[in-house]
Amino acid sequence: MFYWLLKYIFMGPILQLMGRPKVEGLENIPSSGPAILAGNHLAVVDSFFLPLVSPRRVTFLAKSEYFTEPGFKGWLKKVFFGGSGQVPIDRTSADAAENALSTAKRLLGEGKLLGIYPEGTRSPDGRLYKGKTGLARMALATGVPVIPIAMVGTNVMNPPGTARWHFSKVTVKIGKPLDFSRFDGMAGNRFIERAVIDEVMYELMQLSGQEYVDIYAASLKDKPAEAADRPAESPQQPDRMPESAAG
């Protein structure tokens, strides 16, 4: 109930006013059944705009810190993130990857739309970074389609490192579902997993128009200033086939 109140009463009107969102490819979100929504990640508000434009409820895997902060402020965060469709995942434990996979299987088994950011963290400079293979493991283990979602302009509305919002123009581009059934029975093969996630990142690059950088965004997290000052690298395309990923 709180999810729909946020969408239509509390957050939705503000997002509509400040972001004037335009959505492309809405027909690519299935009317029923499970799917993984794989998005680029430019700003905190990405997690608000995708549910805003989706006709179905979207559930995100979120770091458990959003749910464990003590005090009244922590309680408010827990209520907000829980009510807005976020499910906590402990990313610090030794079993973090297995816990995330188990939770994803449960949610997808319930027929839900699962939102995931394959880069693992927000882009520090607006470029698209290498995807982590956790999403590939989920897709191969469950057999559900992966739908690429590109956010454009959210980092202008909500610049990285700030909590401020600016009036801007946001576009949400929803790509055609990606079917990885050709890899049935190959879950656990790291080369196949890399091929799957590279194909997802390639589609995100095509949709968003971002420059692709073949390193993990988390490797720059502690030095955003250096990343911002570093000259842009030549655009690269992520590998799409297993043999390329193996190389």
Side-chain angles (χ1 to χ4, degrees), residues 42 49 59 79 94 97 100 102 149-150 168 170 174 176 193 198 207 228:
L42 296 172
F49 276 104
T59 300
V79 170
S102 176
I149 311 280
S168 185
V170 171
I174 304 170
K176 295 184 181 299
E193 290 172 355
D198 280 349
L207 280 173

Side-chain angles (χ1 to χ4, degrees), residues 184-227:
D184 280 351
M186 299 184 188
N189 183 311
R190 64 189 181 95
F191 298 122
I192 297 298
E193 290 172 355
R194 175 47 57 189
V196 168
I197 194 60
D198 280 349
E199 184 170 337
V200 173
M201 302 313 292
Y202 180 86
E203 294 301 324
L204 285 175
M205 181 183 69
Q206 294 290 93
L207 280 173
S208 68
Q210 291 171 277
E211 176 187 347
Y212 178 77
V213 185
D214 197 31
I215 59 175
Y216 294 115
S219 67
L220 301 178
K221 197 166 187 179
D222 295 330
K223 44 183 178 181
E226 178 184 330

Side-chain angles (χ1 to χ4, degrees), residues 19-22 24 40-43 45-46 49 126 149-157 168-174 204-210:
R20 296 172 293 142
K22 174 186 176 184
E24 301 175 5
N40 63 335
H41 201 12
L42 296 172
V45 293
D46 294 336
F49 276 104
I149 311 280
M151 297 288 175
V152 179
T154 51
N155 56 332
V156 177
M157 178 181 169
S168 185
K169 178 65 178 176
V170 171
T171 302
V172 182
K173 298 182 178 181
I174 304 170
L204 285 175
M205 181 183 69
Q206 294 290 93
L207 280 173
S208 68
Q210 291 171 277

